[in-house]
Amino acid sequence: MKAYRDLSREELLLLKEQLEQEFVDVKGKGLKLDMSRGKPSVAQLDMGMDIFDVLNSGSDLTSMDGVDVRNYGVLDGLAEAKHMMADIMGVSAEQVIVYGNASLNVMYDAVSSAMTHGVMGGTPWCKLDKVKFLCPAPGYDRHFAITQHFGIEMITVPMTPQGPDMDMVERLVAGDDSIKGIWCVPKYSNPQGYSYSDETVRRFANLKPAAKDFRIFWDNAYAVHHLYDEEERQDRILEILGECEKAGNPDMVYEFASTSKISFSGAGVAAIASSQKNLECIRRTMAIQTIGHDKINQLRHVRYFKNFDGIREHMRKHAALMRPKFEAVETVLERELSGLEIGTWTKPKGGYFISFDAMEGCAKAIVAKCREAGVVLTGAGATFPYGKDPRDSNIRIAPSFPTPGEMQMATDLFVLCVKLVSVEKLLEGRNEA
Amino acid sequence: MKAYRDLSREELLLLKEQLEQEFVDVKGKGLKLDMSRGKPSVAQLDMGMDIFDVLNSGSDLTSMDGVDVRNYGVLDGLAEAKHMMADIMGVSAEQVIVYGNASLNVMYDAVSSAMTHGVMGGTPWCKLDKVKFLCPAPGYDRHFAITQHFGIEMITVPMTPQGPDMDMVERLVAGDDSIKGIWCVPKYSNPQGYSYSDETVRRFANLKPAAKDFRIFWDNAYAVHHLYDEEERQDRILEILGECEKAGNPDMVYEFASTSKISFSGAGVAAIASSQKNLECIRRTMAIQTIGHDKINQLRHVRYFKNFDGIREHMRKHAALMRPKFEAVETVLERELSGLEIGTWTKPKGGYFISFDAMEGCAKAIVAKCREAGVVLTGAGATFPYGKDPRDSNIRIAPSFPTPGEMQMATDLFVLCVKLVSVEKLLEGRNEA
């Protein structure tokens, strides 16, 4: 295929006409698909239904260390739930506090508590003139929403296939003590599906932040969310807590994980992993905030998955559903856009998203065009701080929720919109020239 | 019985010797009972076990308005869960947002969010020089712990059988705009079991606070927790939201409730009820904090209890277990202490506690004495702000957790300790005189 930019004005105009006709046809089909969020599909959720048979009216609801999970007590989670969440994060159970149904809430609480009470004895952030976070972007919009909510200034750090631009991260955190944190999705990142290289993780562990209360918010959301069963096709990342300890920075990380995309979304079990000093500080706040999280749901999860092998086995079933959809998107993108030089995209081996970069200035228009024909994508810009993609280029594709057939239709529409908007953009440029 | 204070020094000395001997005997029994918290008993928890049969692997997990409760979405709770929680509080479903497993966390979040973001557009409390709360006392220690955690100054307001001293409440809130809230347990209060009179509720609704962002934190924790089935032996309180609306103060209340002491402690469903304006403000923060609370547990609860009659029926079974224990305590207190003038106690018709007032300066010693013989009570002072009972008099008795037999033994020990400490106190006074 010839790159669009090498087409003549006449060729572009002709192409535009064809594409517009195709768009009218597709629009006529009356699609109605929501690909805006990383939601598990119904088929995935159906796979976890046996969890409801794990506990019944005859069950013994005593935990392994003798706790009646139906009653108050056990602030920081059942021992067996700590083990389960530790296995997911590749840490030890002593490094874990188990929470309620979602890790987003744990992250929110971590920032909120730093605002009102500071981090490990430091000044409450709300008492400081300025608090800043580094935001590798494209990234997760809900991370950025938390920092924005608390009036924390966000500094965009470019992402690379090896992780955030570490030269920039090192320089910024060393030189500015108002920089208190950085948002990271280290494995199968949202939205690009990149996994941090060993060098990146080590450079994180060896940061020399000017702020003593600087914390890395390590959202290990997709720790076990591989698309392929073969180990050589799975990403591995270094375990950050251990690396930080080696580097003499034992307290620098809050790691988060949940089973939201393992068992059920919004009805799973979440957890934090950190150093003992951080956990002690967190427990002091937790003791005020709650008598304890839902231990029955913790027990239900542990008895269902049994052990880490059980989780891996379950995730292999998820992968069998996710893989064809990711591959269908990639096949269509490859077939329809390859060589046109109007977009690039990532080819993740796990996680929930594919990241697409359109020609500069086209993302918003593509998303709007898709919506016009009935396919809702994540809003353009959402993957950047303040919802503003400076290049208006990045689009997050979420293949998890639709069926494979729907995914096919949605991607066909998507590439059509990419072509159409790109042609319009190129023609605009010609007119201006 | 002759009042202890009317006994001669010699009589007191003789009595002391007898009581000390009795204490040695009881101590020898090696009791080991924890009556420190309002925990449901095992028998109570067993009554709710059928809830685990409500959902199984074959269940349809679709809510009444078509939501797949296993997936993300529905920020403020399932429609049917809103109805359930609204019925418990006697409000309408539109006034309710359903939360996670515990109302304490909802209260914490309400205060925390007021600190960082203010209430309905007001100045964030953390930006103010001084924030104060009124704390009717004796009251619930975990309420006081939240305000203390956020550095909010607590002002003690005396409790009466009709509720807090409303003359004082009215005067204080009208005259000081740094008073931003008041903690209330309006029905079967913790620890006295008092229910606010209609006049008290109306006076609350008609408060004229100097602070526009003053809120009544109305913890309706024991809304359906009657000890007696006969309606005439059950307390009723006026519905505060409606009264506030009538009084032209529609936004003045946050009401809280949960099923922690209906279904399972720490694995129930919690909720807030408030005006539309407050709820809108709360939703804006919630949208940042979470994608949604555990809807599966919400559905499980609704399908189990079916409707408000189901909840009432369930609570009648709880009452059948609680009643004899409350009555056993009262019988022993009556039999052993009546006429001695060394203590008074409340006779609640619901809730989880009996409140005991010892002679001034005796509470700490009585609690310590009980602990010496193996019975752990709530720490003396816990029912007051900062854990300091100015008269060192109030002790919270929590009859819910022990079996009736244990309760009997514990109360026998308790009255013995009350007698012993009182005699010692009286002798001390004689020596000083």
Side-chain angles (χ1 to χ4, degrees):
Chain A
M1 291 293 289
K2 207 170 170 182
Y4 273 18
R5 70 165 59 89
D6 296 334
L7 298 180
S8 68
R9 188 161 184 279
E10 288 62 39
E11 286 172 314
L12 285 172
L13 283 170
L14 187 66
L15 186 57
K16 181 165 180 265
E17 207 173 308
Q18 290 169 2
L19 294 167
E20 274 169 349
Q21 186 51 53
E22 280 182 52
F23 184 77
V24 170
D25 295 346
V26 177
K27 204 173 151 183
K29 287 187 190 165
L31 294 181
K32 207 172 177 317
L33 296 172
D34 190 339
M35 284 165 55
S36 66
R37 306 294 325 174
K39 290 170 71 170
S41 65
V42 172
Q44 254 173 290
L45 298 170
D46 284 346
M47 278 177 177
M49 285 299 288
D50 287 348
I51 199 171
F52 296 115
D53 298 335
V54 163
L55 301 184
N56 59 51
S57 55
S59 297
D60 177 4
L61 276 94
T62 311
S63 74
M64 60 186 268
D65 42 11
V67 172
D68 185 340
V69 305
R70 305 167 304 175
N71 218 328
Y72 288 122
V74 191
L75 184 63
D76 60 359
L78 296 179
E80 50 265 65
K82 287 190 185 190
H83 274 284
M84 179 180 76
M85 297 310 295
D87 284 344
I88 290 172
M89 292 184 271
V91 301
S92 73
E94 301 74 47
Q95 293 172 299
V96 171
I97 293 177
V98 183
Y99 279 74
N101 72 318
S103 56
L104 187 70
N105 211 324
V106 188
M107 297 178 226
Y108 180 97
D109 281 355
V111 176
S112 180
S113 150
M115 291 302 294
T116 54
H117 289 80
V119 170
M120 259 175 57
T123 308
W125 295 355
C126 73
K127 301 289 183 200
L128 301 173
D129 289 335
K130 186 59 113 179
V131 177
K132 302 174 192 160
F133 258 55
L134 303 186
C135 298
Y140 180 33
D141 57 348
R142 292 189 189 270
H143 287 164
F144 305 152
I146 290 174
T147 22
Q148 188 169 2
H149 178 70
F150 284 102
I152 294 172
E153 183 182 321
M154 295 185 277
I155 300 169
T156 299
V157 174
M159 273 294 287
T160 79
Q162 288 74 45
D165 176 341
M166 291 308 294
D167 290 344
M168 187 173 170
V169 171
E170 284 166 352
R171 185 169 41 79
L172 287 170
V173 303
D176 184 348
D177 71 356
S178 69
I179 296 177
K180 301 296 189 188
I182 182 168
W183 290 115
C184 295
V185 182
K187 194 167 177 180
Y188 301 133
S189 70
N190 178 351
Q192 292 166 307
Y194 292 153
S195 296
Y196 292 9
S197 69
D198 291 355
E199 192 199 331
T200 298
V201 177
R202 284 201 193 96
R203 288 176 75 176
F204 263 113
N206 282 280
L207 284 177
K208 304 273 170 280
K212 281 217 175 86
D213 52 355
F214 172 84
R215 290 291 179 274
I216 301 167
F217 286 66
W218 197 255
D219 183 2
N220 205 348
Y222 307 107
V224 293
H225 302 63
H226 309 289
L227 286 175
Y228 298 93
D229 298 348
E230 307 86 336
E231 291 213 355
E232 64 278 13
R233 298 184 76 183
Q234 299 181 344
D235 287 349
R236 298 247 166 296
I237 56 166
L238 281 181
E239 195 284 289
I240 183 79
L241 294 179
E243 293 301 317
C244 280
E245 212 164 304
K246 275 190 240 168
N249 277 326
D251 304 319
M252 201 166 55
V253 178
Y254 295 143
E255 180 170 0
F256 308 93
S258 86
T259 71
S260 273
K261 290 185 180 85
I262 299 174
S263 57
F264 297 117
S265 298
V269 173
I272 198 169
S274 199
S275 70
Q276 292 311 311
K277 278 190 185 168
N278 279 323
L279 294 187
E280 273 164 37
C281 179
I282 290 167
R283 275 189 198 105
R284 277 196 294 274
T285 296
M286 271 184 92
I288 308 296
Q289 187 175 22
T290 183
I291 310 179
H293 291 290
D294 183 344
K295 298 187 297 296
I296 294 179
N297 204 32
Q298 291 174 21
L299 188 72
R300 182 184 289 115
H301 275 72
V302 175
R303 291 204 182 157
Y304 177 61
F305 289 116
K306 292 188 179 73
N307 51 40
F308 192 48
D309 280 338
I311 288 178
R312 277 191 292 213
E313 181 55 33
H314 191 79
M315 294 312 286
R316 274 193 283 272
K317 294 184 205 164
H318 277 203
L321 290 170
M322 295 279 271
R323 199 165 49 234
K325 292 192 278 189
F326 272 74
E327 289 176 347
V329 175
E330 284 164 21
T331 302
V332 174
L333 292 175
E334 192 69 38
R335 188 186 66 217
E336 297 293 325
L337 300 182
S338 177
L340 303 185
E341 295 181 21
I342 55 172
T344 58
W345 54 94
T346 59
K347 296 163 190 70
K349 293 186 281 180
Y352 263 63
F353 304 102
I354 292 168
S355 177
F356 185 89
D357 278 311
M359 283 169 54
E360 189 161 344
C362 290
K364 273 196 166 55
I366 292 168
V367 169
K369 209 78 197 155
C370 284
R371 181 183 283 263
E372 194 188 325
V375 171
V376 179
L377 299 169
T378 309
T383 52
F384 281 78
Y386 307 105
K388 283 177 193 156
D389 175 359
R391 300 185 66 246
D392 184 25
S393 166
N394 188 251
I395 298 172
R396 186 177 80 164
I397 301 176
S400 56
F401 187 71
T403 64
E406 289 170 339
M407 199 60 228
Q408 178 81 41
M409 284 191 288
T411 314
D412 286 342
L413 171 68
F414 177 73
V415 294
L416 175 59
C417 295
V418 170
K419 287 175 184 174
L420 189 50
V421 170
S422 303
V423 166
E424 283 167 354
K425 188 79 189 170
L426 286 165
L427 279 167
E428 223 176 79
R430 300 286 164 93
N431 292 342
E432 282 164 13
Chain B
M1 291 293 291
K2 204 170 172 182
Y4 273 18
R5 71 164 58 89
D6 296 335
L7 298 179
S8 68
R9 188 162 184 279
E10 289 61 38
E11 285 172 312
L12 284 173
L13 281 170
L14 188 64
L15 185 57
K16 181 165 180 265
E17 205 173 311
Q18 289 168 0
L19 293 167
E20 274 168 349
Q21 186 51 52
E22 279 182 53
F23 185 76
V24 170
D25 294 345
V26 177
K27 204 172 150 184
K29 286 187 192 166
L31 293 182
K32 205 171 177 320
L33 296 173
D34 190 339
M35 284 168 54
S36 65
R37 307 294 322 173
K39 291 170 72 170
S41 65
V42 172
Q44 252 173 292
L45 298 170
D46 283 346
M47 278 178 176
M49 286 299 288
D50 287 349
I51 199 172
F52 296 115
D53 298 335
V54 163
L55 300 184
N56 59 50
S57 55
S59 297
D60 178 4
L61 276 95
T62 311
S63 74
M64 60 186 269
D65 42 12
V67 172
D68 184 341
V69 305
R70 305 167 304 174
N71 218 327
Y72 289 121
V74 191
L75 185 63
D76 60 0
L78 297 179
E80 50 264 65
K82 286 189 187 191
H83 275 283
M84 178 180 77
M85 297 311 295
D87 285 344
I88 290 172
M89 293 184 271
V91 301
S92 74
E94 301 74 49
Q95 293 171 299
V96 171
I97 293 178
V98 184
Y99 280 73
N101 72 317
S103 57
L104 187 70
N105 212 323
V106 189
M107 298 179 225
Y108 179 96
D109 281 356
V111 175
S112 180
S113 152
M115 292 300 296
T116 55
H117 289 79
V119 169
M120 258 174 59
T123 308
W125 294 354
C126 73
K127 302 287 184 201
L128 302 173
D129 288 337
K130 185 60 110 179
V131 177
K132 301 175 192 160
F133 258 56
L134 302 186
C135 298
Y140 180 31
D141 56 349
R142 292 188 188 271
H143 288 163
F144 304 153
I146 290 175
T147 22
Q148 187 169 0
H149 178 70
F150 284 102
I152 295 171
E153 184 182 321
M154 295 184 278
I155 300 169
T156 299
V157 173
M159 274 293 289
T160 79
Q162 287 74 44
D165 175 342
M166 290 309 294
D167 289 345
M168 185 172 171
V169 170
E170 285 166 351
R171 184 168 40 79
L172 286 170
V173 304
D176 183 350
D177 70 357
S178 68
I179 296 177
K180 300 297 187 186
I182 182 168
W183 290 116
C184 294
V185 182
K187 194 166 177 179
Y188 301 133
S189 71
N190 178 353
Q192 292 165 308
Y194 292 152
S195 297
Y196 292 10
S197 70
D198 292 355
E199 193 201 332
T200 297
V201 176
R202 284 200 193 96
R203 287 176 75 176
F204 263 112
N206 283 280
L207 284 177
K208 304 275 171 276
K212 282 216 173 83
D213 53 355
F214 172 85
R215 290 293 177 274
I216 300 168
F217 286 67
W218 197 256
D219 183 3
N220 205 348
Y222 307 107
V224 292
H225 302 64
H226 309 286
L227 286 175
Y228 298 93
D229 299 347
E230 306 86 336
E231 291 211 357
E232 64 277 13
R233 297 184 76 182
Q234 300 181 346
D235 287 350
R236 298 247 166 296
I237 57 167
L238 280 181
E239 195 284 291
I240 183 80
L241 293 179
E243 292 302 317
C244 281
E245 212 164 306
K246 275 190 241 169
N249 277 326
D251 305 319
M252 202 167 54
V253 177
Y254 294 144
E255 179 169 1
F256 308 93
S258 86
T259 71
S260 272
K261 289 184 179 85
I262 299 174
S263 57
F264 297 117
S265 298
V269 174
I272 199 169
S274 198
S275 71
Q276 293 311 311
K277 278 191 186 168
N278 279 324
L279 295 187
E280 274 164 37
C281 180
I282 290 166
R283 277 190 196 104
R284 276 197 294 275
T285 295
M286 268 184 97
I288 307 295
Q289 188 176 22
T290 183
I291 310 178
H293 292 290
D294 185 344
K295 299 187 297 296
I296 294 180
N297 204 34
Q298 291 174 21
L299 188 71
R300 181 183 290 116
H301 275 72
V302 175
R303 291 205 180 156
Y304 177 60
F305 289 115
K306 290 186 181 71
N307 50 41
F308 192 48
D309 280 338
I311 288 177
R312 276 192 290 214
E313 181 54 34
H314 191 78
M315 294 312 288
R316 274 192 283 272
K317 294 185 205 162
H318 278 203
L321 289 170
M322 295 279 273
R323 198 165 49 235
K325 293 193 278 190
F326 272 75
E327 289 176 347
V329 174
E330 284 163 21
T331 303
V332 174
L333 292 174
E334 193 70 39
R335 187 187 66 219
E336 296 294 324
L337 299 182
S338 181
L340 303 185
E341 295 180 22
I342 55 172
T344 59
W345 54 93
T346 58
K347 296 164 190 67
K349 291 186 281 178
Y352 262 64
F353 304 104
I354 291 167
S355 177
F356 184 88
D357 278 312
M359 284 168 53
E360 189 162 343
C362 289
K364 272 196 167 56
I366 291 168
V367 170
K369 207 81 196 155
C370 284
R371 181 183 282 265
E372 195 189 325
V375 172
V376 179
L377 299 169
T378 309
T383 53
F384 282 78
Y386 307 105
K388 283 176 194 156
D389 175 0
R391 298 185 66 246
D392 185 24
S393 166
N394 189 251
I395 297 172
R396 184 177 82 164
I397 300 176
S400 56
F401 188 71
T403 64
E406 289 170 339
M407 199 60 229
Q408 178 78 42
M409 284 191 288
T411 315
D412 286 342
L413 171 68
F414 177 74
V415 294
L416 175 59
C417 294
V418 170
K419 289 177 184 174
L420 189 49
V421 170
S422 303
V423 167
E424 283 167 356
K425 188 80 190 169
L426 286 166
L427 280 167
E428 225 175 78
R430 303 284 165 95
N431 291 342
E432 281 164 14

